[in-house]
Amino acid sequence: MSGSIELKDGVHWVGAIDWNVREFHGYSTSRGTTYNAYLIRGDKTALVDTVKAEFFPEMISKIESLIDPAEIDYLVVNHVEMDHSGALPLLMERTPRAQIVATDNGVKGLTRHYRKDWPSLKVRTGNEISLGGKTLQFLEAYMLHWPDSMFTYVKEDRVLLPNDGFGQHYASYQRFDDEIDHLEIVMEEAAKYFANILMPLAPLIPPLLKKVEKMGLQIDMIAPSHGIIWRSHLGKIIQAYTDWSTGVVQDRALIIYDSMWGSTEAMARAIAQGMSRAGLENKLIHLRKNHYSDIVKEILTAKVLVIGSPTLNEGVFPSVAHLLSYLKGLHPLKKKGVAFGSYGWSGEAIKVVEAEMKAMGIEILEPGLEVVYVPGEEELQQCMDLGERIAAGL
Ligand code: FEO
């Protein structure tokens, strides 16, 4: 169990590392995660966010290494989701004078989750709490990513605590971006986090970043509630959030498919070959060999999605249906696409895939390409030609 870590004088990380979580409400977390809680000490003391309930012992021991938990005056709840508020019921028993600080939706959400009437202070954007020597300022972040979400800013230390924002599911001994040898892995996890959690809410992010600018918040450090704390690569993560939230995509194609007996797969490979010949970077993604939460991370920055499905029981293959349903809820931005697939006798899948892609705002480049049973040489050539046409049209 690692100890508390000082971010700035009087600002400490007192969270927990979850090395073993591999699944987070359906999202695969192959690198684990952390639940970051922050203790801020002026004349008074505040704890910003807590941890998942089972990690309460880790958090409380870190707090106890710094102060008596009974001295905590404020428990700031930036977000009600239980990976951050789960330890509150246990903590409330150890903090008799503490008052919850949250948005109006936050207080309502906590009441619905824990059925307790805890003493609470509701805050709005711009409200401040002085701890004596430290000032906490609040910024509502409605729907980023729950109605209760808010950011807390420690004025004197220029530290922004944006909860899930800028976070990554990444367990590590290190706490800061400049301590990490392979920052690209952290960026990859930040992209996966954005794609799976924030993508459907992306249009709300640029106005919020503008609001931060308008409020004149000078930021030296961004300390999210998952993963690594940003202090040396702030520009990199802020630029990434700006790009991801405005749909900046690269000239890259993903050929995402499943296959019953190899025909749709043969089509996928031929499409990829055509794209490669025409110089378009592309990746083949078999739906039963990749987790859908990893696939949407790839989708975040790709311009072209070519989605293939065999027809099964007059519909799409189950893995394709799963992806389409998940992706529809994420509202991907600025994508172009084509459907393809093989069928035996009815051939509904291609039409369903195309309709679903249209429904989620993907620009359909041309009608879907379908093959009966096994593609012959001529049909594989058509697939290659499709790949070349997609590449040429970008
Ligand atoms: Fe990390 Fe929305 O909870």
Side-chain angles (χ1 to χ4, degrees):
M1 198 183 287
S2 58
S4 68
I5 306 283
E6 190 171 65
L7 277 68
K8 296 260 185 166
D9 188 28
V11 180
H12 286 83
W13 175 83
V14 291
I17 303 171
D18 188 348
W19 296 100
N20 292 299
V21 65
R22 290 291 174 268
E23 193 276 337
F24 198 98
H25 55 56
Y27 170 158
S28 78
T29 48
S30 54
R31 293 188 173 107
T33 194
T34 71
Y35 312 108
N36 298 339
Y38 299 98
L39 192 75
I40 299 158
R41 298 166 69 193
D43 298 331
K44 291 183 171 182
T45 301
L47 179 73
V48 180
D49 292 319
T50 72
V51 293
K52 225 177 187 178
E54 69 203 77
F55 290 91
F56 173 76
E58 288 201 20
M59 180 185 72
I60 203 75
S61 75
K62 290 186 185 80
I63 295 172
E64 282 169 338
S65 72
L66 297 165
I67 57 157
D68 176 354
E71 290 171 21
I72 294 177
D73 299 281
Y74 300 105
L75 296 172
V76 178
V77 177
N78 275 337
H79 180 26
V80 173
E81 197 163 7
M82 290 81 88
D83 49 331
H84 308 295
S85 72
L88 266 182
L90 290 169
L91 189 60
M92 288 304 284
E93 291 173 16
R94 303 284 305 275
T95 54
R97 73 182 192 208
Q99 199 175 15
I100 301 275
V101 178
T103 61
D104 182 42
N105 283 324
V107 172
K108 285 178 186 154
L110 288 172
T111 307
R112 295 298 301 176
H113 277 77
Y114 300 106
R115 310 286 167 164
K116 299 277 188 198
D117 189 22
W118 289 323
S120 302
L121 178 64
K122 293 178 184 175
V123 289
R124 305 205 60 172
T125 294
N127 288 168
E128 293 182 359
I129 289 178
S130 173
L131 302 179
K134 301 268 186 216
T135 311
L136 304 183
Q137 190 176 29
F138 306 99
L139 169 60
E140 290 163 277
Y142 180 74
M143 290 315 297
L144 286 172
H145 67 116
W146 277 20
D148 48 74
S149 298
M150 72 170 183
F151 294 178
T152 297
Y153 176 65
V154 190
K155 260 183 156 175
E156 291 77 5
D157 299 301
R158 301 180 169 201
V159 176
L160 184 70
L161 308 169
N163 194 265
D164 282 332
F166 306 98
Q168 336 91 46
H169 284 314
Y170 183 74
S172 153
Y173 291 112
Q174 294 78 26
R175 297 273 60 82
F176 297 101
D177 55 356
D178 46 31
E179 297 171 340
I180 298 286
D181 288 337
H182 299 287
L183 193 65
E184 67 280 6
I185 293 175
V186 177
M187 287 303 294
E188 194 184 304
E189 290 298 337
K192 182 173 174 180
Y193 197 93
F194 188 100
N196 283 277
I197 306 287
L198 297 173
M199 187 148 62
L201 308 155
L204 300 175
I205 292 172
L208 188 70
L209 294 177
K210 275 214 166 63
K211 182 84 187 168
V212 168
E213 208 178 306
K214 207 171 159 192
M215 286 171 76
L217 307 190
Q218 303 293 313
I219 299 170
D220 283 355
M221 202 179 277
I222 296 178
S225 289
H226 295 292
I228 294 301
I229 296 165
W230 304 96
R231 68 178 178 190
S232 295
H233 298 89
L234 292 175
K236 193 176 176 76
I237 188 66
I238 290 170
Q239 185 60 51
Y241 260 61
T242 304
D243 291 350
W244 297 333
S245 61
T246 52
V248 172
V249 286
Q250 294 149 10
D251 279 353
R252 189 159 51 85
L254 303 177
I255 304 152
I256 305 168
Y257 67 96
D258 207 331
S259 197
M260 283 174 77
W261 290 103
S263 292
T264 302
E265 181 153 53
M267 294 177 75
R269 291 187 186 284
I271 294 168
Q273 208 179 327
M275 287 176 176
S276 297
R277 273 190 196 165
L280 176 61
E281 194 178 294
N282 61 82
K283 188 182 253 190
L284 286 161
I285 299 180
H286 189 297
L287 276 161
R288 278 178 290 150
K289 295 177 185 170
N290 293 275
H291 196 276
Y292 61 90
S293 59
D294 288 313
I295 298 174
V296 298
K297 187 254 297 173
E298 296 282 344
I299 289 174
L300 177 65
T301 54
K303 189 182 277 185
V304 180
L305 309 181
V306 185
I307 301 181
S309 177
T311 294
L312 178 69
N313 301 333
E314 302 179 344
V316 292
F317 213 63
S319 57
V320 180
H322 187 184
L323 179 81
L324 291 172
S325 166
Y326 188 64
L327 192 56
K328 197 173 182 178
L330 294 179
H331 304 295
L333 294 173
K334 298 182 184 169
K335 307 293 176 201
K336 299 171 189 284
V338 180
F340 72 98
S342 155
Y343 67 94
W345 49 95
S346 57
E348 288 86 353
I350 295 94
K351 292 164 193 68
V352 173
V353 171
E354 195 170 294
E356 288 294 300
M357 289 169 85
K358 260 188 206 163
M360 64 181 93
I362 296 174
E363 180 194 338
I364 301 299
L365 292 170
E366 59 177 85
L369 181 60
E370 41 188 31
V371 162
V372 179
Y373 286 125
V374 178
E377 227 170 86
E378 200 178 310
E379 285 154 328
L380 289 174
Q381 184 59 51
Q382 286 171 9
C383 293
M384 282 188 253
D385 293 345
L386 170 64
E388 286 190 17
R389 279 198 305 282
I390 291 172
L394 293 183

